Every structure is written in C-alpha cells, then in structure tokens.
Amino acid sequence: MSDENVVIKELEPWQKLAELEELSDIAAVSEYIDNLTSEEQRRCFSRLSGAEQEYLIAQLDTQVAADVLESLPERQSTDILQALEPEVAADIIEMLPNHIGADLLMEMSAEDSEAVLAEIDDVIEAAQIRNLATYEWDTAGGLMIDEFLTASLNSTTGQVIQELSAYAEDHDDVEIQYVYVINDDGQLAGVLRLRDLVLKKPSTSIKAVLNWNPATVSVNDDLKTLVSVFEENSFLAMPVVNNEKALVGIITRKAVREATAQQQTEDYLRASGIVAGEELRSMPLLTRSRRRLAWLAPNIGLNLVAASIISRYEDTLQAVIALAVFLPIISDMSGCSGNQAVAVSIRELSLGVIRPTEYLRIIWKEGFLGIINGVILGTILGLIALIWKGSLVLACVIGGALCLNTILSVLLGGLVPLLLKRLKVDPALASGPILTTCTDMCGFLLVLSLASAVLPMLK
C-alpha cells in the first residue's frame, strides 16, 4: 500500500492523557495539561470519572492544578476540591486568585471549607478569602476582586509610576485600568486613570489629575443594580466600598457580564427541570437520575389531573374520534402562548419594570393580546378542521376552544410568575408545570364540553 494512502488518526486530548498516565510520568502529564487550551482541559476532564479527576488533580503540579480548576465549571471544581485532602486543597487555593478561591470554598460545606482555610499558611490571605466567601455570589462583594492598585493622596505621578515599576511582578495577575487613591482615614478619595499618570510630568501632584468624585458601588449591591450601573457608565471597572466608604475591592464590567450570563443559564436550567443546580454528564449516574426524578415524578400527578378530564368525556371521544386528533394541537398551541407570557413576566420582574402586585396591568395588557392571537389562531385551526373533515360544527368547536384557551393561557402565563414571586417561590422554577397543567386541563375541558353540547350535530 502506498504511504500516501496511510491516514494517521491524531489522538484526542483525553486519549493522549490516558497514554501519559499509563506511563506514570506525572511531570509529562502536568506539562501536557498545561499546554492544553481551557476548552481542551474541560473536555479532557469531562471524560474522566470523579475518582480519576480527583487523583489527577492531586498529582499535578500545584499551579497547573489551580489553572485547571479555574477553567472547569465551578460545580465540578468544587466537587474535586471537596474530595481532596485539606492540605492539598489549600495549596491549590493559594495559587488561585482570592475571589475565585472564595467562590469555590463558598460552594463547599462549612466544615470542609474551614478545614481547607485552616491549612493555608498565609494568615492574611486566609482572612481575605474567608471575608470574600461571606458575600453572596451575585452581589458586588461576591463578584469583586480584592487585588488592586492604590496610592497615597500626597504622592506625585512620578512616585506612583516608580512604585508600580518596583513592584511590577506583584501586579502580573492584576487587571490594571485605574489607580485608587486612599486618604488618611483609609477611605476612597478618588481615582486615577493610567493615561493621566503617564502623560503628566513626574512632579505633578496626583491631586491635580485626580477624579475626586468617582462612581462607586456598595459591597452589598445586587446584580440587577450592578448591571444598571454599568449600563449607565462606560467604565471598565468600578471601586467597591463598604458602609464606611473604605475601598474593599473593584468590580469589572467583564465580571458583571459573566455573572449575568451565569444567572440566565441557571434560570434556564431550572425552567428545564434541572432544579438541583448545574449538572454535568461526568457526575455519578445515580446522582443525576435522582436529581431529575425529583422534578419528573411530581409531574406524573399533574398530568393525571389533566388526563382525568379526558376520562370524563370518553363517550364524546368515542362518538367523534376526530376530536382526539385536535386535542394535543390545542394543548400545545395554548401552552406555547402561555410560555411566552411567562417569559415576559419573569423578565419584567427581574428588571423591576413590574411589581408582584400589578395583576390588573397584566390582565389588561395580556388580555387584549390573547383575544387578538386567540381569534387568529382559532380561525386558522378551525379552517383546517373544516377543510379536512368537512364539518362546520367541528370547525367551530375546535376553533372556539383554541381561541378561548389561548386567552386563558396568556392570562395565566402573565399572572402565575407574579403570584409565585409574592409567595417567595422562584417563578422560573414553578411557572412551567403549573401553566402546562392548567392549559391542558382547560383545553381538554373546552373542546370536550363544547363537543358534548353539540354532539348530535357532530355525529
């Protein structure tokens, strides 16, 4: 056979990793993983069992292990850390930026988290991480970075630049956009742009180029507030202050954008039935099964309620079998209309555009929309039924049922999230099943009761 026809298939990263592991050359494994992209690292570890992930992280060079955990999904990294010996986990945490280490420790049990913190050699760093871990993840405190550049109010631009150069290595991992100026009381006095530093004479007092009234955010500001602040301002980062106006960290536009995406992902997962948090297929099979069944099993009961409506009108269905063809269509179309209303209500609640008590506004706005869409959709489906079955009465029953159920579904879809919010239940989690059950029940009831009323004319 000609050499030109020989195709050498390149090994996938996880296959190459398996080969290196078999040679028991940990140094080679560390070097190989370190040279992979973040995406390739995630793919490699997704092919490993939990035990294999834990063993590999424990054997890797500490810095490489930290880089890998930083690239993995947070839930996966937390599970790995929690399974390691506290002293091993502590060594890895020390290699991570404080805010990332705090996020991982916050997801661990309190006992395991404290055991890891107790093994961190640097007492000051351990205290900083412990402090960061006290904030909720979706607040300014939870998203901020506690590593930033500061300068004294009495400095000159030349002195600040000289200090930055002298400690350049310490700032390698810090996103440098601004220098934050602190007064004698430890409070934030103002902010310096790097541009203002390098374009002024070294003898210039920073008081002359200082922004004395910088925009700030409070350490307890929630994600919605942070999004609004960054939308109103073009800053790449903003200082975070506590109740005493002392500078405690900085928060970047990038961090807020990533947190918003994470929140949207979590809402989508909950709405899709993944209610116990993030799920990855590298997790234990029985754990994944148990989590999904916690959502699916109760839905059997909800569906039985809808099915009971059909059983009551069994004679009508037997007499007019064509009704069975249109029942799922009406149910599905109404459900889609209702889900649109649910999505809009949840979005407006998250933006603060509406309050959970504004029922009349929802009824007014969704009611007219439901009438328009219901009439149009009902007419379309009614015409289809007329052309297909040649019965005007059947067409009126099907079209009328879809029209009325569409109106009802958009009203329910708009109102249910508000009701759940008032009851302190997550609207993204519970709105779907409630809406589906109600639209199914009402759709079946409307079709079958209308058909029963005009049954002699349908036969």
Side-chain angles (χ1 to χ4, degrees):
M1 181 181 292
S2 170
D3 291 341
E4 295 180 357
N5 296 326
V6 177
V7 177
I8 301 176
K9 185 176 180 181
E10 187 176 348
L11 293 176
E12 294 283 2
W14 57 88
Q15 295 171 328
K16 178 66 175 177
L17 180 61
E19 283 192 354
L20 291 174
E21 283 188 285
E22 288 179 2
L23 298 176
S24 301
D25 188 347
I26 295 301
V29 171
S30 286
E31 182 180 359
Y32 179 72
I33 291 178
D34 194 31
N35 289 326
L36 294 175
T37 65
S38 294
E39 182 181 350
E40 288 173 333
Q41 288 175 351
R42 287 192 291 270
R43 290 176 65 204
C44 273
F45 274 74
S46 71
R47 299 317 197 269
L48 303 176
S49 67
E52 291 171 330
Q53 293 173 8
E54 296 150 17
Y55 172 79
L56 188 55
I57 289 292
Q59 299 301 316
L60 290 177
D61 173 80
T62 308
Q63 184 60 64
V64 175
D67 292 341
V68 170
L69 290 186
E70 190 172 350
S71 72
L72 295 179
E74 189 175 279
R75 181 68 262 169
Q76 190 175 6
S77 297
T78 302
D79 289 342
I80 293 172
L81 271 180
Q82 195 156 292
L84 299 176
E85 292 296 325
E87 58 270 21
V88 177
D91 290 339
I92 295 174
I93 290 291
E94 287 186 274
M95 293 294 178
L96 290 167
N98 285 351
H99 65 286
I100 294 178
D103 288 343
L104 296 178
L105 290 175
M106 188 165 55
E107 293 297 318
M108 295 169 61
S109 66
E111 183 180 350
D112 289 334
S113 177
E114 282 300 322
V116 172
L117 286 168
E119 295 293 335
I120 295 179
D121 297 327
D122 190 328
V123 178
I124 295 177
E125 183 178 5
Q128 290 173 334
I129 294 174
R130 183 180 281 107
N131 178 59
L132 287 173
T134 61
Y135 300 108
E136 293 294 330
W137 76 269
D138 57 350
T139 64
L143 297 173
M144 71 181 182
I145 302 170
D146 66 347
E147 298 165 311
F148 46 88
L149 303 178
T150 60
S152 169
L153 191 57
N154 298 316
S155 303
T156 64
T157 56
Q159 289 173 331
V160 175
I161 292 174
Q162 186 176 3
E163 185 175 351
L164 292 179
S165 300
Y167 296 96
E169 291 184 3
D170 296 338
H171 305 318
D172 280 347
D173 297 329
V174 181
E175 293 188 22
I176 302 176
Q177 303 292 343
Y178 310 99
V179 176
Y180 301 92
V181 181
I182 309 298
N183 63 22
D184 295 336
D185 296 324
Q187 296 176 320
L188 178 68
V191 176
L192 275 173
R193 297 181 302 174
L194 290 183
R195 181 176 183 275
D196 294 329
L197 280 177
V198 299
L199 294 182
K200 297 296 180 180
K201 292 181 179 180
S203 59
T204 303
S205 171
I206 63 173
K207 293 179 182 179
V209 292
L210 186 65
N211 175 6
W212 289 91
N213 296 298
T216 63
V217 294
S218 169
V219 71
N220 295 314
D221 282 347
D222 58 21
L223 185 56
K224 182 170 66 174
T225 302
L226 296 173
V227 170
S228 176
V229 169
F230 275 100
E231 284 179 349
E232 295 171 1
N233 299 277
S234 59
F235 305 126
L236 297 175
M238 295 187 69
V240 182
V241 297
N242 60 17
N243 294 333
E244 288 74 40
K245 303 302 180 184
L247 179 65
V248 293
I250 62 169
I251 185 166
T252 64
R253 180 179 295 274
K254 177 183 177 183
V256 173
R257 186 168 59 245
E258 290 176 347
T260 302
Q262 180 181 344
Q263 187 179 66
Q264 291 171 343
T265 299
E266 290 181 355
D267 289 343
Y268 172 75
L269 288 173
R270 287 196 295 269
S272 301
I274 309 298
V275 297
E278 187 171 30
E279 178 184 317
L280 299 169
R281 291 188 174 90
S282 57
M283 292 178 176
L285 179 62
L286 292 180
T287 299
R288 294 172 56 221
S289 174
R290 184 173 63 252
R291 287 181 173 184
R292 293 196 188 186
L293 286 173
W295 169 266
L296 294 172
N299 274 276
I300 294 178
L302 294 176
N303 282 293
L304 285 174
V305 174
S308 66
I309 301 294
I310 298 176
S311 66
R312 289 185 57 191
Y313 291 93
E314 189 174 346
D315 293 339
T316 302
L317 274 174
Q318 289 178 347
V320 188
I321 199 63
L323 292 173
V325 177
F326 291 98
L327 283 177
I329 298 176
I330 293 172
S331 173
D332 182 68
M333 291 297 301
S334 301
C336 290
S337 297
N339 282 324
Q340 290 175 330
V342 166
V344 174
S345 285
I346 291 176
R347 178 60 175 162
E348 289 191 339
L349 284 170
S350 68
L351 292 174
V353 175
I354 58 171
R355 294 189 297 270
T357 55
E358 295 186 76
Y359 299 120
L360 291 179
R361 173 178 171 80
I362 299 301
I363 293 172
W364 178 261
K365 293 290 187 179
E366 289 294 341
F368 280 109
L369 186 146
I371 292 171
I372 295 171
N373 287 0
V375 169
I376 294 173
L377 294 174
T379 301
I380 293 172
L381 189 60
L383 288 173
I384 292 172
L386 176 62
I387 295 170
W388 186 13
K389 296 299 181 179
S391 170
L392 180 60
V393 177
L394 177 64
C396 291
V397 168
I398 298 300
L402 179 56
C403 176
L404 293 173
N405 209 32
T406 298
I407 297 170
L408 182 63
S409 65
V410 296
L411 288 174
L412 283 173
L415 293 171
V416 166
L418 275 66
L419 177 61
L420 293 174
K421 190 73 173 180
R422 290 197 67 182
L423 296 175
K424 301 188 183 304
V425 177
D426 185 355
L429 176 61
S431 296
I434 293 174
L435 178 67
T436 299
T437 302
C438 291
T439 54
D440 284 353
M441 288 175 55
C442 294
F444 297 158
L445 182 62
L446 284 168
V447 172
L448 295 173
S449 60
L450 288 175
S452 296
V454 294
L455 187 59
M457 301 172 65
L458 285 172
K459 291 182 178 180

